[in-house]
Amino acid sequence: MAKIRLKDIDTDPPKDIDKGDTKKKLSKILGELDELQNLLYAEGRHSILIVVQGMDAAGKDGLTRDVFTSMNPQGVNVKPFKEPTPEELSHDFLWRIHQHAPAKGMIEIFNRSHYEDILTTRVHGIIDDHTAKQRMKAINNFEHLLQEHNNTIVLKFYLHISHKEQRSRLEERMEIPQKMWKYNANDFIESKLWQRYMEYYEGAFEHCSDIPWHIIPSDKNWYKSYLVAKTLRDKLHSLNMKYPGMKK
Amino acid sequence: MAKIRLKDIDTDPPKDIDKGDTKKKLSKILGELDELQNLLYAEGRHSILIVVQGMDAAGKDGLTRDVFTSMNPQGVNVKPFKEPTPEELSHDFLWRIHQHAPAKGMIEIFNRSHYEDILTTRVHGIIDDHTAKQRMKAINNFEHLLQEHNNTIVLKFYLHISHKEQRSRLEERMEIPQKMWKYNANDFIESKLWQRYMEYYEGAFEHCSDIPWHIIPSDKNWYKSYLVAKTLRDKLHSLNMKYPGMKK
């Protein structure tokens, strides 16, 4: 994959995209997704793994709410990955991840993922470049395993916001009561490491691209949610799923 | 790895090996293993995965009893893999395996393992040759993952018995009260598929040999247990482990 330069990619929607229009389209897609998810579950032939990555305040939680709220939770699961526990750290970095790989018929959303193990860890010097390379190879093998051996469609999204937009959202968390619970002083420290995060994200896109990344302009939440929903809808459509007949 | 022909490998101990003598040596090694396991646990730097494969009645359960009984069970765990459950089958074949990978400091024994997924399944035509090849590649990647990303030493043992010895042991199960609980009429059907099992075992040794196999002559249980214990002892010795000092 050609090297992606994040600074060359717009974080805003293209000029000719209309907000009201896009919201109407999203609403229609959500209706289709509801039906498609039911079909995925009934057919039980594929599974979907949605990897959501992005900087703090990029809108990962909001995406989950916007796109997956209307689906039957029996077939949809969200797994947020936080800092690893001591037990998790006493295993290889994919151990805790693999356990949450989706069963056939299921949609699993990773809110952060195994990619943190080559991002945050690198930015903070917990692993060196050599280990990062080994991990990227292991990640490729792991994603292939899911795809080849369990019919898992892996969809990887990077929610791309500008540094300016991030700062403004982090500041909001100090001011708006409904957002204060998300406030974390550490986020401002992390924000200062922006350039290094961008560099390591670009490394992840370059070396872990056997299964492609979708870079989603995310300064506007309505556009971000629309793009992700549309990508998922198109992928599910392409599977030519059918309801099984009666069991004999 | 050069192709192994099982029929060319003796299932009996070499002629000059004395039973009483070997049993004394085993007993000494077990004492050393007890100490080494304690050190492994205390140091918490490596983990050990012991994969035990073999035909029905090859002595897998007996091996576990002979070699690991004297170790502290807090640091040792045995996981027997049986026929997969519906939940396990709705994931990739390594999903249930990975969950039991040993934490640092631990010894994990797999009584049967991911290798059944390229043996029994092939013999019974559940997977074709193409899938078997893909699985063997995935197995190599998986074993590398454990080794590179969690300091896991993977020791793979094939308990090699003759077809004649197997039949005699299966017949014993119909006659000796303490062994009857192991009797399973299916084992005799499986026994008829001996040649195909041998062929697919040879395929596994050939294509999954990045981490080498130890072929253990197993017609005599005392020799089998001695060889496995010795291999494990030598490996643990080679790790140059040290007790950590006081935590600061």
Side-chain angles (χ1 to χ4, degrees), chain B residues 144-174:
Chain B
H144 274 296
L145 172 72
L146 302 185
Q147 193 167 262
E148 279 181 16
H149 297 276
N150 205 40
N151 259 347
T152 303
I153 316 287
V154 184
L155 289 172
K156 304 191 284 194
F157 296 103
Y158 172 69
L159 307 189
H160 184 38
I161 55 168
S162 64
H163 198 182
K164 192 174 153 224
E165 177 67 19
Q166 187 203 40
R167 273 183 303 232
S168 129
R169 290 183 188 182
L170 292 178
E171 277 157 20
E172 258 184 14
R173 290 181 178 178
M174 296 193 286

PDB file of all heavy atoms in Angstrom, chain B residues 144-174:
ATOM      1  N   HIS B 144       4.823 -19.375  16.431  1.00  0.00           N
ATOM      2  CA  HIS B 144       5.778 -18.254  16.428  1.00  0.00           C
ATOM      3  C   HIS B 144       5.297 -17.118  17.331  1.00  0.00           C
ATOM      4  O   HIS B 144       6.086 -16.501  18.045  1.00  0.00           O
ATOM      5  CB  HIS B 144       5.946 -17.695  15.018  1.00  0.00           C
ATOM      6  CG  HIS B 144       6.970 -18.430  14.211  1.00  0.00           C
ATOM      7  ND1 HIS B 144       8.292 -18.450  14.567  1.00  0.00           N
ATOM      8  CD2 HIS B 144       6.864 -19.162  13.084  1.00  0.00           C
ATOM      9  CE1 HIS B 144       8.962 -19.177  13.680  1.00  0.00           C
ATOM     10  NE2 HIS B 144       8.120 -19.627  12.776  1.00  0.00           N
ATOM     11  N   LEU B 145       4.017 -16.824  17.253  1.00  0.00           N
ATOM     12  CA  LEU B 145       3.442 -15.760  18.077  1.00  0.00           C
ATOM     13  C   LEU B 145       3.739 -16.021  19.555  1.00  0.00           C
ATOM     14  O   LEU B 145       4.217 -15.134  20.271  1.00  0.00           O
ATOM     15  CB  LEU B 145       1.923 -15.696  17.843  1.00  0.00           C
ATOM     16  CG  LEU B 145       1.127 -14.759  18.755  1.00  0.00           C
ATOM     17  CD1 LEU B 145       1.392 -13.295  18.408  1.00  0.00           C
ATOM     18  CD2 LEU B 145      -0.377 -15.041  18.658  1.00  0.00           C
ATOM     19  N   LEU B 146       3.464 -17.236  19.995  1.00  0.00           N
ATOM     20  CA  LEU B 146       3.691 -17.563  21.405  1.00  0.00           C
ATOM     21  C   LEU B 146       5.173 -17.445  21.753  1.00  0.00           C
ATOM     22  O   LEU B 146       5.537 -16.915  22.796  1.00  0.00           O
ATOM     23  CB  LEU B 146       3.207 -18.987  21.702  1.00  0.00           C
ATOM     24  CG  LEU B 146       1.738 -19.292  21.419  1.00  0.00           C
ATOM     25  CD1 LEU B 146       1.394 -20.694  21.885  1.00  0.00           C
ATOM     26  CD2 LEU B 146       0.818 -18.279  22.087  1.00  0.00           C
ATOM     27  N   GLN B 147       5.998 -17.927  20.872  1.00  0.00           N
ATOM     28  CA  GLN B 147       7.430 -17.932  21.135  1.00  0.00           C
ATOM     29  C   GLN B 147       8.000 -16.514  21.130  1.00  0.00           C
ATOM     30  O   GLN B 147       8.725 -16.122  22.048  1.00  0.00           O
ATOM     31  CB  GLN B 147       8.104 -18.785  20.059  1.00  0.00           C
ATOM     32  CG  GLN B 147       9.518 -19.140  20.364  1.00  0.00           C
ATOM     33  CD  GLN B 147      10.019 -20.253  19.422  1.00  0.00           C
ATOM     34  OE1 GLN B 147      10.024 -21.426  19.769  1.00  0.00           O
ATOM     35  NE2 GLN B 147      10.413 -19.870  18.222  1.00  0.00           N
ATOM     36  N   GLU B 148       7.648 -15.741  20.118  1.00  0.00           N
ATOM     37  CA  GLU B 148       8.246 -14.402  19.967  1.00  0.00           C
ATOM     38  C   GLU B 148       7.624 -13.372  20.897  1.00  0.00           C
ATOM     39  O   GLU B 148       8.294 -12.440  21.313  1.00  0.00           O
ATOM     40  CB  GLU B 148       8.065 -13.904  18.525  1.00  0.00           C
ATOM     41  CG  GLU B 148       9.085 -14.473  17.568  1.00  0.00           C
ATOM     42  CD  GLU B 148       8.893 -13.929  16.162  1.00  0.00           C
ATOM     43  OE1 GLU B 148       8.193 -12.903  15.981  1.00  0.00           O
ATOM     44  OE2 GLU B 148       9.438 -14.537  15.229  1.00  0.00           O
ATOM     45  N   HIS B 149       6.344 -13.508  21.173  1.00  0.00           N
ATOM     46  CA  HIS B 149       5.655 -12.435  21.877  1.00  0.00           C
ATOM     47  C   HIS B 149       5.306 -12.768  23.323  1.00  0.00           C
ATOM     48  O   HIS B 149       4.719 -11.951  24.004  1.00  0.00           O
ATOM     49  CB  HIS B 149       4.407 -12.006  21.102  1.00  0.00           C
ATOM     50  CG  HIS B 149       4.737 -11.433  19.764  1.00  0.00           C
ATOM     51  ND1 HIS B 149       5.082 -10.120  19.590  1.00  0.00           N
ATOM     52  CD2 HIS B 149       4.844 -12.009  18.541  1.00  0.00           C
ATOM     53  CE1 HIS B 149       5.356  -9.899  18.308  1.00  0.00           C
ATOM     54  NE2 HIS B 149       5.221 -11.037  17.654  1.00  0.00           N
ATOM     55  N   ASN B 150       5.601 -13.999  23.757  1.00  0.00           N
ATOM     56  CA  ASN B 150       5.418 -14.265  25.187  1.00  0.00           C
ATOM     57  C   ASN B 150       6.503 -15.168  25.750  1.00  0.00           C
ATOM     58  O   ASN B 150       6.306 -15.761  26.803  1.00  0.00           O
ATOM     59  CB  ASN B 150       4.030 -14.852  25.479  1.00  0.00           C
ATOM     60  CG  ASN B 150       3.598 -14.584  26.900  1.00  0.00           C
ATOM     61  OD1 ASN B 150       3.829 -13.494  27.420  1.00  0.00           O
ATOM     62  ND2 ASN B 150       3.000 -15.563  27.562  1.00  0.00           N
ATOM     63  N   ASN B 151       7.645 -15.231  25.062  1.00  0.00           N
ATOM     64  CA  ASN B 151       8.747 -16.067  25.587  1.00  0.00           C
ATOM     65  C   ASN B 151       8.282 -17.474  25.901  1.00  0.00           C
ATOM     66  O   ASN B 151       8.714 -18.062  26.897  1.00  0.00           O
ATOM     67  CB  ASN B 151       9.275 -15.451  26.885  1.00  0.00           C
ATOM     68  CG  ASN B 151      10.554 -14.695  26.660  1.00  0.00           C
ATOM     69  OD1 ASN B 151      11.173 -14.813  25.606  1.00  0.00           O
ATOM     70  ND2 ASN B 151      10.959 -13.911  27.635  1.00  0.00           N
ATOM     71  N   THR B 152       7.401 -18.004  25.081  1.00  0.00           N
ATOM     72  CA  THR B 152       6.889 -19.351  25.343  1.00  0.00           C
ATOM     73  C   THR B 152       7.753 -20.386  24.633  1.00  0.00           C
ATOM     74  O   THR B 152       7.968 -20.288  23.429  1.00  0.00           O
ATOM     75  CB  THR B 152       5.432 -19.482  24.862  1.00  0.00           C
ATOM     76  OG1 THR B 152       4.639 -18.486  25.507  1.00  0.00           O
ATOM     77  CG2 THR B 152       4.874 -20.863  25.169  1.00  0.00           C
ATOM     78  N   ILE B 153       8.253 -21.350  25.423  1.00  0.00           N
ATOM     79  CA  ILE B 153       8.977 -22.466  24.826  1.00  0.00           C
ATOM     80  C   ILE B 153       7.935 -23.511  24.456  1.00  0.00           C
ATOM     81  O   ILE B 153       7.194 -23.978  25.327  1.00  0.00           O
ATOM     82  CB  ILE B 153       9.960 -23.107  25.831  1.00  0.00           C
ATOM     83  CG1 ILE B 153      10.734 -22.042  26.615  1.00  0.00           C
ATOM     84  CG2 ILE B 153      10.852 -24.130  25.155  1.00  0.00           C
ATOM     85  CD1 ILE B 153      11.772 -21.336  25.866  1.00  0.00           C
ATOM     86  N   VAL B 154       7.859 -23.855  23.178  1.00  0.00           N
ATOM     87  CA  VAL B 154       6.892 -24.862  22.748  1.00  0.00           C
ATOM     88  C   VAL B 154       7.627 -26.177  22.537  1.00  0.00           C
ATOM     89  O   VAL B 154       8.580 -26.251  21.751  1.00  0.00           O
ATOM     90  CB  VAL B 154       6.184 -24.433  21.442  1.00  0.00           C
ATOM     91  CG1 VAL B 154       5.118 -25.454  21.058  1.00  0.00           C
ATOM     92  CG2 VAL B 154       5.564 -23.041  21.586  1.00  0.00           C
ATOM     93  N   LEU B 155       7.223 -27.207  23.281  1.00  0.00           N
ATOM     94  CA  LEU B 155       7.826 -28.538  23.149  1.00  0.00           C
ATOM     95  C   LEU B 155       6.751 -29.477  22.607  1.00  0.00           C
ATOM     96  O   LEU B 155       5.701 -29.649  23.243  1.00  0.00           O
ATOM     97  CB  LEU B 155       8.320 -29.044  24.508  1.00  0.00           C
ATOM     98  CG  LEU B 155       9.553 -28.347  25.104  1.00  0.00           C
ATOM     99  CD1 LEU B 155       9.781 -28.836  26.536  1.00  0.00           C
ATOM    100  CD2 LEU B 155      10.791 -28.607  24.250  1.00  0.00           C
ATOM    101  N   LYS B 156       7.015 -30.072  21.458  1.00  0.00           N
ATOM    102  CA  LYS B 156       5.996 -30.913  20.824  1.00  0.00           C
ATOM    103  C   LYS B 156       6.444 -32.377  20.839  1.00  0.00           C
ATOM    104  O   LYS B 156       7.517 -32.697  20.331  1.00  0.00           O
ATOM    105  CB  LYS B 156       5.754 -30.446  19.391  1.00  0.00           C
ATOM    106  CG  LYS B 156       5.366 -28.962  19.317  1.00  0.00           C
ATOM    107  CD  LYS B 156       4.876 -28.553  17.944  1.00  0.00           C
ATOM    108  CE  LYS B 156       5.991 -28.405  16.950  1.00  0.00           C
ATOM    109  NZ  LYS B 156       5.537 -27.692  15.710  1.00  0.00           N
ATOM    110  N   PHE B 157       5.613 -33.227  21.432  1.00  0.00           N
ATOM    111  CA  PHE B 157       5.943 -34.645  21.546  1.00  0.00           C
ATOM    112  C   PHE B 157       4.930 -35.500  20.785  1.00  0.00           C
ATOM    113  O   PHE B 157       3.722 -35.331  20.960  1.00  0.00           O
ATOM    114  CB  PHE B 157       5.940 -35.077  23.016  1.00  0.00           C
ATOM    115  CG  PHE B 157       7.000 -34.404  23.842  1.00  0.00           C
ATOM    116  CD1 PHE B 157       6.674 -33.355  24.699  1.00  0.00           C
ATOM    117  CD2 PHE B 157       8.329 -34.797  23.744  1.00  0.00           C
ATOM    118  CE1 PHE B 157       7.655 -32.728  25.465  1.00  0.00           C
ATOM    119  CE2 PHE B 157       9.318 -34.173  24.499  1.00  0.00           C
ATOM    120  CZ  PHE B 157       8.984 -33.132  25.359  1.00  0.00           C
ATOM    121  N   TYR B 158       5.443 -36.404  19.985  1.00  0.00           N
ATOM    122  CA  TYR B 158       4.586 -37.434  19.397  1.00  0.00           C
ATOM    123  C   TYR B 158       4.912 -38.762  20.072  1.00  0.00           C
ATOM    124  O   TYR B 158       6.051 -39.228  20.009  1.00  0.00           O
ATOM    125  CB  TYR B 158       4.804 -37.550  17.886  1.00  0.00           C
ATOM    126  CG  TYR B 158       4.059 -38.737  17.305  1.00  0.00           C
ATOM    127  CD1 TYR B 158       2.669 -38.744  17.248  1.00  0.00           C
ATOM    128  CD2 TYR B 158       4.749 -39.866  16.846  1.00  0.00           C
ATOM    129  CE1 TYR B 158       1.982 -39.840  16.742  1.00  0.00           C
ATOM    130  CE2 TYR B 158       4.071 -40.960  16.339  1.00  0.00           C
ATOM    131  CZ  TYR B 158       2.680 -40.948  16.296  1.00  0.00           C
ATOM    132  OH  TYR B 158       1.992 -42.035  15.804  1.00  0.00           O
ATOM    133  N   LEU B 159       3.910 -39.337  20.741  1.00  0.00           N
ATOM    134  CA  LEU B 159       4.123 -40.625  21.415  1.00  0.00           C
ATOM    135  C   LEU B 159       3.921 -41.732  20.385  1.00  0.00           C
ATOM    136  O   LEU B 159       2.797 -42.016  19.958  1.00  0.00           O
ATOM    137  CB  LEU B 159       3.154 -40.779  22.601  1.00  0.00           C
ATOM    138  CG  LEU B 159       3.165 -39.618  23.616  1.00  0.00           C
ATOM    139  CD1 LEU B 159       2.340 -39.989  24.840  1.00  0.00           C
ATOM    140  CD2 LEU B 159       4.585 -39.211  24.010  1.00  0.00           C
ATOM    141  N   HIS B 160       5.023 -42.336  20.027  1.00  0.00           N
ATOM    142  CA  HIS B 160       5.068 -43.260  18.886  1.00  0.00           C
ATOM    143  C   HIS B 160       4.912 -44.704  19.360  1.00  0.00           C
ATOM    144  O   HIS B 160       5.812 -45.266  19.965  1.00  0.00           O
ATOM    145  CB  HIS B 160       6.430 -43.042  18.198  1.00  0.00           C
ATOM    146  CG  HIS B 160       6.637 -43.836  16.953  1.00  0.00           C
ATOM    147  ND1 HIS B 160       5.646 -44.080  16.031  1.00  0.00           N
ATOM    148  CD2 HIS B 160       7.767 -44.434  16.461  1.00  0.00           C
ATOM    149  CE1 HIS B 160       6.143 -44.795  15.027  1.00  0.00           C
ATOM    150  NE2 HIS B 160       7.420 -45.028  15.270  1.00  0.00           N
ATOM    151  N   ILE B 161       3.747 -45.283  19.085  1.00  0.00           N
ATOM    152  CA  ILE B 161       3.553 -46.711  19.407  1.00  0.00           C
ATOM    153  C   ILE B 161       3.300 -47.483  18.118  1.00  0.00           C
ATOM    154  O   ILE B 161       2.948 -46.905  17.086  1.00  0.00           O
ATOM    155  CB  ILE B 161       2.360 -46.959  20.381  1.00  0.00           C
ATOM    156  CG1 ILE B 161       1.058 -46.342  19.823  1.00  0.00           C
ATOM    157  CG2 ILE B 161       2.656 -46.437  21.779  1.00  0.00           C
ATOM    158  CD1 ILE B 161      -0.194 -46.786  20.582  1.00  0.00           C
ATOM    159  N   SER B 162       3.482 -48.796  18.206  1.00  0.00           N
ATOM    160  CA  SER B 162       3.203 -49.643  17.040  1.00  0.00           C
ATOM    161  C   SER B 162       1.703 -49.946  16.998  1.00  0.00           C
ATOM    162  O   SER B 162       1.007 -49.889  18.024  1.00  0.00           O
ATOM    163  CB  SER B 162       3.993 -50.944  17.137  1.00  0.00           C
ATOM    164  OG  SER B 162       3.543 -51.675  18.268  1.00  0.00           O
ATOM    165  N   HIS B 163       1.237 -50.279  15.813  1.00  0.00           N
ATOM    166  CA  HIS B 163      -0.175 -50.620  15.670  1.00  0.00           C
ATOM    167  C   HIS B 163      -0.512 -51.856  16.511  1.00  0.00           C
ATOM    168  O   HIS B 163      -1.567 -51.929  17.139  1.00  0.00           O
ATOM    169  CB  HIS B 163      -0.495 -50.864  14.185  1.00  0.00           C
ATOM    170  CG  HIS B 163      -1.961 -50.789  13.881  1.00  0.00           C
ATOM    171  ND1 HIS B 163      -2.475 -51.013  12.630  1.00  0.00           N
ATOM    172  CD2 HIS B 163      -3.037 -50.534  14.676  1.00  0.00           C
ATOM    173  CE1 HIS B 163      -3.794 -50.894  12.672  1.00  0.00           C
ATOM    174  NE2 HIS B 163      -4.163 -50.607  13.891  1.00  0.00           N
ATOM    175  N   LYS B 164       0.430 -52.767  16.577  1.00  0.00           N
ATOM    176  CA  LYS B 164       0.234 -53.987  17.363  1.00  0.00           C
ATOM    177  C   LYS B 164       0.055 -53.642  18.853  1.00  0.00           C
ATOM    178  O   LYS B 164      -0.858 -54.147  19.516  1.00  0.00           O
ATOM    179  CB  LYS B 164       1.452 -54.888  17.164  1.00  0.00           C
ATOM    180  CG  LYS B 164       1.272 -56.294  17.676  1.00  0.00           C
ATOM    181  CD  LYS B 164       2.486 -57.159  17.311  1.00  0.00           C
ATOM    182  CE  LYS B 164       2.646 -58.278  18.328  1.00  0.00           C
ATOM    183  NZ  LYS B 164       4.026 -58.487  18.758  1.00  0.00           N
ATOM    184  N   GLU B 165       0.932 -52.785  19.342  1.00  0.00           N
ATOM    185  CA  GLU B 165       0.855 -52.381  20.754  1.00  0.00           C
ATOM    186  C   GLU B 165      -0.471 -51.659  21.024  1.00  0.00           C
ATOM    187  O   GLU B 165      -1.107 -51.853  22.055  1.00  0.00           O
ATOM    188  CB  GLU B 165       2.046 -51.471  21.104  1.00  0.00           C
ATOM    189  CG  GLU B 165       2.044 -50.914  22.528  1.00  0.00           C
ATOM    190  CD  GLU B 165       2.236 -51.965  23.616  1.00  0.00           C
ATOM    191  OE1 GLU B 165       2.733 -53.070  23.296  1.00  0.00           O
ATOM    192  OE2 GLU B 165       1.856 -51.698  24.783  1.00  0.00           O
ATOM    193  N   GLN B 166      -0.899 -50.834  20.076  1.00  0.00           N
ATOM    194  CA  GLN B 166      -2.176 -50.146  20.276  1.00  0.00           C
ATOM    195  C   GLN B 166      -3.318 -51.147  20.442  1.00  0.00           C
ATOM    196  O   GLN B 166      -4.129 -51.051  21.353  1.00  0.00           O
ATOM    197  CB  GLN B 166      -2.494 -49.208  19.108  1.00  0.00           C
ATOM    198  CG  GLN B 166      -3.741 -48.365  19.401  1.00  0.00           C
ATOM    199  CD  GLN B 166      -4.448 -47.829  18.175  1.00  0.00           C
ATOM    200  OE1 GLN B 166      -4.573 -48.518  17.157  1.00  0.00           O
ATOM    201  NE2 GLN B 166      -4.916 -46.589  18.263  1.00  0.00           N
ATOM    202  N   ARG B 167      -3.360 -52.132  19.538  1.00  0.00           N
ATOM    203  CA  ARG B 167      -4.450 -53.102  19.596  1.00  0.00           C
ATOM    204  C   ARG B 167      -4.447 -53.846  20.921  1.00  0.00           C
ATOM    205  O   ARG B 167      -5.488 -54.049  21.538  1.00  0.00           O
ATOM    206  CB  ARG B 167      -4.368 -54.072  18.415  1.00  0.00           C
ATOM    207  CG  ARG B 167      -5.107 -53.507  17.188  1.00  0.00           C
ATOM    208  CD  ARG B 167      -5.093 -54.477  16.030  1.00  0.00           C
ATOM    209  NE  ARG B 167      -3.705 -54.815  15.682  1.00  0.00           N
ATOM    210  CZ  ARG B 167      -3.189 -54.739  14.464  1.00  0.00           C
ATOM    211  NH1 ARG B 167      -3.935 -54.344  13.444  1.00  0.00           N
ATOM    212  NH2 ARG B 167      -1.931 -55.076  14.235  1.00  0.00           N
ATOM    213  N   SER B 168      -3.268 -54.187  21.361  1.00  0.00           N
ATOM    214  CA  SER B 168      -3.191 -54.927  22.624  1.00  0.00           C
ATOM    215  C   SER B 168      -3.670 -54.053  23.786  1.00  0.00           C
ATOM    216  O   SER B 168      -4.375 -54.504  24.689  1.00  0.00           O
ATOM    217  CB  SER B 168      -1.766 -55.467  22.798  1.00  0.00           C
ATOM    218  OG  SER B 168      -1.253 -55.139  24.057  1.00  0.00           O
ATOM    219  N   ARG B 169      -3.329 -52.760  23.750  1.00  0.00           N
ATOM    220  CA  ARG B 169      -3.795 -51.872  24.833  1.00  0.00           C
ATOM    221  C   ARG B 169      -5.302 -51.653  24.780  1.00  0.00           C
ATOM    222  O   ARG B 169      -5.972 -51.565  25.811  1.00  0.00           O
ATOM    223  CB  ARG B 169      -3.079 -50.515  24.751  1.00  0.00           C
ATOM    224  CG  ARG B 169      -1.601 -50.615  25.117  1.00  0.00           C
ATOM    225  CD  ARG B 169      -0.939 -49.248  25.102  1.00  0.00           C
ATOM    226  NE  ARG B 169       0.515 -49.376  25.271  1.00  0.00           N
ATOM    227  CZ  ARG B 169       1.343 -48.338  25.339  1.00  0.00           C
ATOM    228  NH1 ARG B 169       0.873 -47.096  25.244  1.00  0.00           N
ATOM    229  NH2 ARG B 169       2.643 -48.516  25.486  1.00  0.00           N
ATOM    230  N   LEU B 170      -5.836 -51.530  23.559  1.00  0.00           N
ATOM    231  CA  LEU B 170      -7.289 -51.331  23.438  1.00  0.00           C
ATOM    232  C   LEU B 170      -8.034 -52.563  23.962  1.00  0.00           C
ATOM    233  O   LEU B 170      -9.092 -52.453  24.595  1.00  0.00           O
ATOM    234  CB  LEU B 170      -7.681 -51.037  21.991  1.00  0.00           C
ATOM    235  CG  LEU B 170      -7.221 -49.691  21.412  1.00  0.00           C
ATOM    236  CD1 LEU B 170      -7.647 -49.557  19.943  1.00  0.00           C
ATOM    237  CD2 LEU B 170      -7.762 -48.506  22.222  1.00  0.00           C
ATOM    238  N   GLU B 171      -7.469 -53.743  23.689  1.00  0.00           N
ATOM    239  CA  GLU B 171      -8.121 -54.968  24.168  1.00  0.00           C
ATOM    240  C   GLU B 171      -8.090 -55.058  25.693  1.00  0.00           C
ATOM    241  O   GLU B 171      -9.054 -55.490  26.309  1.00  0.00           O
ATOM    242  CB  GLU B 171      -7.479 -56.200  23.513  1.00  0.00           C
ATOM    243  CG  GLU B 171      -8.071 -56.440  22.123  1.00  0.00           C
ATOM    244  CD  GLU B 171      -7.151 -57.245  21.198  1.00  0.00           C
ATOM    245  OE1 GLU B 171      -6.240 -57.929  21.720  1.00  0.00           O
ATOM    246  OE2 GLU B 171      -7.351 -57.160  19.971  1.00  0.00           O
ATOM    247  N   GLU B 172      -6.983 -54.617  26.267  1.00  0.00           N
ATOM    248  CA  GLU B 172      -6.867 -54.577  27.727  1.00  0.00           C
ATOM    249  C   GLU B 172      -8.010 -53.788  28.365  1.00  0.00           C
ATOM    250  O   GLU B 172      -8.459 -54.093  29.471  1.00  0.00           O
ATOM    251  CB  GLU B 172      -5.570 -53.875  28.123  1.00  0.00           C
ATOM    252  CG  GLU B 172      -4.440 -54.780  28.547  1.00  0.00           C
ATOM    253  CD  GLU B 172      -3.239 -53.952  28.999  1.00  0.00           C
ATOM    254  OE1 GLU B 172      -3.373 -52.720  29.232  1.00  0.00           O
ATOM    255  OE2 GLU B 172      -2.172 -54.519  29.101  1.00  0.00           O
ATOM    256  N   ARG B 173      -8.431 -52.755  27.652  1.00  0.00           N
ATOM    257  CA  ARG B 173      -9.484 -51.895  28.198  1.00  0.00           C
ATOM    258  C   ARG B 173     -10.811 -52.629  28.359  1.00  0.00           C
ATOM    259  O   ARG B 173     -11.705 -52.170  29.055  1.00  0.00           O
ATOM    260  CB  ARG B 173      -9.675 -50.661  27.312  1.00  0.00           C
ATOM    261  CG  ARG B 173      -8.502 -49.704  27.396  1.00  0.00           C
ATOM    262  CD  ARG B 173      -8.703 -48.470  26.549  1.00  0.00           C
ATOM    263  NE  ARG B 173      -7.558 -47.580  26.709  1.00  0.00           N
ATOM    264  CZ  ARG B 173      -7.398 -46.432  26.072  1.00  0.00           C
ATOM    265  NH1 ARG B 173      -8.331 -46.021  25.218  1.00  0.00           N
ATOM    266  NH2 ARG B 173      -6.337 -45.686  26.276  1.00  0.00           N
ATOM    267  N   MET B 174     -10.948 -53.756  27.632  1.00  0.00           N
ATOM    268  CA  MET B 174     -12.188 -54.531  27.777  1.00  0.00           C
ATOM    269  C   MET B 174     -12.057 -55.525  28.913  1.00  0.00           C
ATOM    270  O   MET B 174     -13.031 -56.142  29.310  1.00  0.00           O
ATOM    271  CB  MET B 174     -12.484 -55.272  26.471  1.00  0.00           C
ATOM    272  CG  MET B 174     -12.760 -54.329  25.306  1.00  0.00           C
ATOM    273  SD  MET B 174     -13.459 -55.188  23.890  1.00  0.00           S
ATOM    274  CE  MET B 174     -12.016 -56.057  23.287  1.00  0.00           C
TER     275      MET B 174
END
